[in-house]
Amino acid sequence: MKDISAGPKARLLSELPPGAARSRKELSARTGLSGATVLRVTRQLLKARVLREAGPRPREGAGRPSPALEINGRAGAVLGVSLLAPAARVLLLSLKGEVLREVQAPLDLRRGKDGVLSLLRGLVRKAARQRPAECGPLLGVGVAVPGQWSKES
């Protein structure tokens, strides 16, 4: 599957936060994308297992019910890294935002950038090793750094 960080895929996925299931018609209305574009992109995302059908939505008039689509939590995982003292934390999350694993260690900024990076490298490796097989591949890492930081320190 191609990069989903821009364009129609990103717009559609942004309208499917964890726990939300929406029909293609709703997605079209919320994103401003044409029905044909929504159909094409959601087919790609279903084929790639990023989305899954969550069952039919209640009818909105005549016609057959439209299946709701939601993020497939088992399609992959992401790591969230927090450097908020007094601890460095790494969370392994499903694509639905469910916490699968958490590892942490005391954070001592006096160890300097090499010491902090070494600590983070170990925590990330540990969290990645603990990734359940059924959660899919590791797809990304996000880092939260509070306050002001400089490259030099």
Side-chain angles (χ1 to χ4, degrees), residues 136-147:
L138 186 60
L139 300 173
V141 178
V143 180
V145 182

Side-chain angles (χ1 to χ4, degrees), residues 53-59 64-68:
E53 289 189 356
R57 302 284 291 176
R59 264 191 155 143
R64 60 188 165 138
S66 174

Side-chain angles (χ1 to χ4, degrees), residues 3-25:
D3 181 20
I4 61 172
S5 63
K9 287 180 185 173
R11 287 170 64 187
L12 287 172
L13 292 171
S14 72
E15 292 299 331
L16 288 167
R22 298 201 167 97
S23 70
R24 287 178 177 90
K25 183 177 178 181

Side-chain angles (χ1 to χ4, degrees), residues 13-15 22 25 38 45 88 97 114 118 124 148-149:
L13 292 171
S14 72
E15 292 299 331
R22 298 201 167 97
K25 183 177 178 181
V38 170
L45 293 170
D114 290 335
S118 176
V124 165
Q148 297 179 3
W149 290 72

